[in-house]
Structures are given as C-alpha cells and as structure tokens.
Amino acid sequence: ESGVVADLNLSTNLLVLRLFGSEKQPVLALAASLFLACLTGLVEETTFRGEILPSLAQGNGLAGGVSLSTALFAALHVNPKALLEGGQSTADALVTFALQLCTGATFALLYVMSGNLAVPILAHSLYDCYTFYGTHLEVAGQMEYAKAQALMPSLPGSSGAAWRQRRGEAFLQSAAESFYLMDTNRDGVVSRKELRIALYSYGVRLSGGESAAVLRAADADESGGVDFSEFLEFVGPSGDAAAAIKRALLGVR
C-alpha cells in the first residue's frame, strides 16, 4: 500500500502495457519476456559480475569488489533526474536504488559462492522473465475482467438503470470499468486499500486516513467496502471520481 511501492509497480505495469498491450498474449509475451530477460541477464551479469566485480576486487578485496560493483549496479538503474527533482520523485529513486542494491547483492553473492558466471546470469534472467510475464498476465487479466464486467447486460446493483438514464450509457460503462479495475481481488467490493492503491494510478495521493475518509463517504451501508451501486452514488452527482473525492475530503455532500 506504500505510495512509493505503488509507483514502482505502476511504472512496471505501464512498461509491460507498452510492450505487450492490454490483451492477454501468453505465448508472445512469454517468448518476448524470455528474450528480453536473457539478453538483460547476459549483458548486465557479464558487465557487473564478470568484469567490474573482479576488477574492483583487485584493489579493494573481495568484499570491497562486491560492495562497490553492487552500488554501481544499483546507481545505474536510477534516473539521476528524479534524484534532483525532490519530493516523491526522489523518494521513488531512492527506493529503486535500495531494491537494486538487494538484487545486485544477491546476484553478486551467487557468483562469488558458485564461481560460475552462468549462475547469476540464469538467476537474473529468471527474475526479469517472471517480472515481465507475471505483470503482463496480472495487468491484462485485470483489464479483461473490468471490461467483461462493464459489458454485462445488467450491471450489479439497483442504481445502474437510474444512472444510465441520468448520465447515459457511456458514463455507466466508464464508471464500471473504473470500479472493476480497482477491484483487484474480484469480490465485487472495493476496499480502502484497493481504493488507495488505485488512486495512485490516477495521480491522487491520499494518506491512510484520507483514503478511509473517502471510503466512509462512499460506503453508504457502512459495510467496510464499496460495492458498485455505492460507487455510482458516490461519483454520479459530479460525474467525476476526482471531484467526488475532493468533495468527500472537504466534508461537502
């Protein structure tokens, strides 16, 4: 639920969407993921563990070589511009640096312990392949679920027909897709955590308390979650989720 982690996940999701699109393509995505992962694993491990680590270890000892090559590996995975922008961009860059320190150290230790460069190459390739392919299946599956739910002849809840008359079919379909994209566990109810994480994707950053306040404003039956009927009643008056959120945070009905 961390904003920084959500931002990192969003960046990965957007990259995978650009690579593979929003439709499930299991064979093509797997082949492309394997190719990209193997290429990345081969190039980066040959460079950092095969060349840079031994070179740095000559004058700094094995521990120094591992530490320095890992720090360099992590630093080159960070956007330097983001570090200088301050605020959330800097926080994201620092978390990326920390994550790459962990993965880089793992690959370096695998190389040192095995003495075989093929081991970290394989581990790196499998890690990247799992990230690319797993993200594709997750994102495409969620989008497929949202579209299928939005196209149902009779959407769940009694307020769908009323809002269809008031704001039209396009609004209802858009609201349904937005709602079911947030419903990541596919139980037909959006929790506070799902709401907060989803809003990061739209650039709306809420604290835990703020997201709880928005949920309370939308949760008419006080069940602890928001179903589609409640979501429609929440966003329907303004026709816009962002406006409805602002209204809830300001305590305006």
Side-chain angles (χ1 to χ4, degrees), residues 200-211:
Y200 278 117
S201 302
Y202 297 100
V204 180
R205 300 176 181 279
L206 300 182
S207 66
E210 288 171 334
S211 60

Side-chain angles (χ1 to χ4, degrees), residues 67-156:
S67 300
L68 292 172
S69 63
T70 298
L72 181 61
F73 172 81
L76 291 177
H77 281 80
V78 174
N79 181 357
K81 182 181 176 182
L83 281 172
L84 301 175
E85 288 179 352
Q88 190 62 45
S89 296
T90 299
D92 291 350
L94 291 175
V95 171
T96 300
F97 180 75
L99 174 64
Q100 295 300 335
L101 274 179
C102 292
T103 56
T106 300
F107 300 143
L109 289 174
L110 285 173
Y111 174 55
V112 170
M113 293 173 65
S114 67
N116 186 346
L117 189 59
V119 174
I121 290 175
L122 178 61
H124 194 149
S125 300
L126 289 174
Y127 174 79
D128 283 355
C129 183
Y130 174 81
T131 300
F132 283 130
Y133 189 60
T135 300
H136 166 68
L137 293 181
E138 181 181 346
V139 171
Q142 190 64 28
M143 296 183 76
E144 187 179 83
Y145 165 74
K147 289 178 181 178
Q149 292 296 317
L151 291 173
M152 288 178 63
S154 178
L155 287 165

Side-chain angles (χ1 to χ4, degrees), residues 2-232:
S2 162
V4 173
V5 174
D7 281 336
L8 293 177
N9 288 338
L10 176 61
S11 297
T12 304
N13 292 349
L14 291 175
L15 172 62
V16 170
L17 274 173
R18 285 196 295 269
L19 287 173
F20 306 129
S22 60
E23 302 292 331
K24 273 190 178 180
Q25 304 185 75
V27 176
L28 176 62
L30 179 59
S33 296
L34 281 170
F35 173 76
L36 291 172
C38 289
L39 180 63
T40 303
L42 178 63
V43 172
E44 291 194 352
E45 293 310 308
T46 300
T47 301
F48 289 98
R49 260 59 72 178
E51 299 288 339
I52 295 177
L53 191 159
S55 177
L56 291 174
Q58 289 180 3
N60 301 280
L62 182 58
V66 168
S67 300
L68 292 172
S69 63
T70 298
L72 181 61
F73 172 81
L76 291 177
H77 281 80
V78 174
N79 181 357
K81 182 181 176 182
L83 281 172
L84 301 175
E85 288 179 352
Q88 190 62 45
S89 296
T90 299
D92 291 350
L94 291 175
V95 171
T96 300
F97 180 75
L99 174 64
Q100 295 300 335
L101 274 179
C102 292
T103 56
T106 300
F107 300 143
L109 289 174
L110 285 173
Y111 174 55
V112 170
M113 293 173 65
S114 67
N116 186 346
L117 189 59
V119 174
I121 290 175
L122 178 61
H124 194 149
S125 300
L126 289 174
Y127 174 79
D128 283 355
C129 183
Y130 174 81
T131 300
F132 283 130
Y133 189 60
T135 300
H136 166 68
L137 293 181
E138 181 181 346
V139 171
Q142 190 64 28
M143 296 183 76
E144 187 179 83
Y145 165 74
K147 289 178 181 178
Q149 292 296 317
L151 291 173
M152 288 178 63
S154 178
L155 287 165
S158 58
S159 60
W163 284 109
R164 181 182 280 111
Q165 285 186 336
R166 291 179 62 178
R167 290 203 172 270
E169 185 66 27
F171 165 76
L172 192 65
Q173 294 293 320
S174 176
E177 283 200 31
S178 296
F179 177 82
Y180 289 107
L181 280 173
M182 291 190 288
D183 179 26
T184 53
N185 66 356
R186 306 182 188 183
D187 63 352
V189 177
V190 172
S191 67
R192 183 197 64 78
K193 181 178 179 180
E194 287 175 325
L195 174 68
R196 188 183 181 200
I197 291 174
L199 290 176
Y200 278 117
S201 302
Y202 297 100
V204 180
R205 300 176 181 279
L206 300 182
S207 66
E210 288 171 334
S211 60
V214 172
L215 187 77
R216 284 194 299 271
D219 183 18
D221 62 4
E222 300 182 351
S223 63
V226 177
D227 62 26
F228 183 58
S229 290
E230 291 172 324
F231 181 73
L232 280 177

